[in-house]
Amino acid sequence: MRAVTETSVSVLFDGGNQSGMWGCTTRRAAAIERAQAHGFALVAVNNIWMSGRSAYYVELVARAGLIGIHTVAAPPMVAPPGGAKPALGTNPIAFGFPDAGRSAGHRSGTSAFMGTDLQFRQRLGIPVPEGVAIDERGRPTTDAAAARRGALLPFGGHKGYALALAMHALGVLASGVAAEESTGYLFIAFKPDLLVPLDDYRRALAAEIIAIKATPRQAGVAEIRIPGAALSRRRAQPRIESTS
């Protein structure tokens, strides 16, 4: 890892073609350090591969009492609406917010199906759902291998496409502009108390989440779910270690 450009609140890293998980961990730490010192941080990295679960990084930012935003511009796997070839990545965006009950992160890809899940299904010969992919001729397909040769589609049609394009634009920024590929990872972290005291924000956000979960439910719905909450509950369950 080397810093290409750097200020007190920002840094652009060249990852040296190393593990994306290590690179994003380094970048996340740099964002927290700068945001805690100056209230705001903008950190980008390129030339790394496969960062893993984006929500993990913003969750750690939230645990530090900061709001975190993580954007990814990935290699092309997704066709624009009407296109027959991939032009954009799955390009997820993740958010982390500290609240009084938990500090959780959640992410959403801008594609109708995630690239890693597509690779997984191809290996096992499992079809993908209808309406999420096209083959190499631009025809709808549920065959995972054909979708790998073709392209995934944006979620929500033009709406997901617009968000994917926004992530791509941030990727151009994170790539350092002159890079061969417009791929990269951008981290934004800032103190809530730039606007309101942190404890007040945590209490207010926790109250909003309680109100959302109290929404009257449709028939057959057991719970109004909050993104990331189910995973947090599973983590809190005791783990049973195998000694066999």
Side-chain angles (χ1 to χ4, degrees), residues 1 15 49 58 84 87 90 97 132 170 175 183 194 198 221 231 235:
M1 294 280 287
W49 42 269
V58 291
T90 54
F97 303 97
V132 304
L170 293 175
S175 70
T183 58
L194 289 173
L198 175 58
V221 175
L231 180 59
R235 285 178 177 170

Side-chain angles (χ1 to χ4, degrees), residues 144-155:
R148 286 290 304 278
R149 296 191 299 269
L152 293 169
L153 298 174
F155 87 85

Side-chain angles (χ1 to χ4, degrees), residues 20-157:
M21 296 180 186
W22 182 80
C24 283
T25 297
T26 303
R27 179 178 54 113
R28 181 264 311 165
I32 290 176
E33 179 183 2
R34 282 168 167 76
Q36 287 179 333
H38 304 286
F40 174 83
L42 192 66
V43 179
V45 64
N46 56 54
N47 195 18
I48 58 174
W49 42 269
M50 189 53 185
S51 63
R53 180 175 170 265
S54 303
Y56 169 76
Y57 306 108
V58 291
E59 182 177 338
L60 294 178
V61 172
R63 288 181 184 176
L66 304 167
I67 292 174
I69 303 171
H70 178 218
T71 72
V72 178
M77 290 189 71
V78 180
K85 296 292 182 181
L88 296 166
T90 54
N91 292 8
I93 183 170
F95 299 90
F97 303 97
D99 69 40
R102 60 192 178 93
S103 298
H106 56 269
R107 70 181 289 280
S108 178
T110 56
S111 55
F113 203 72
M114 293 311 298
T116 49
D117 200 2
L118 175 62
Q119 295 174 36
F120 177 73
R121 292 193 180 210
Q122 180 189 12
R123 291 177 182 179
L124 297 184
I126 302 173
V128 299
E130 293 184 1
V132 304
I134 55 176
D135 65 16
E136 63 269 33
R137 296 184 181 180
R139 302 171 300 187
T141 185
T142 59
D143 183 276
R148 286 290 304 278
R149 296 191 299 269
L152 293 169
L153 298 174
F155 87 85

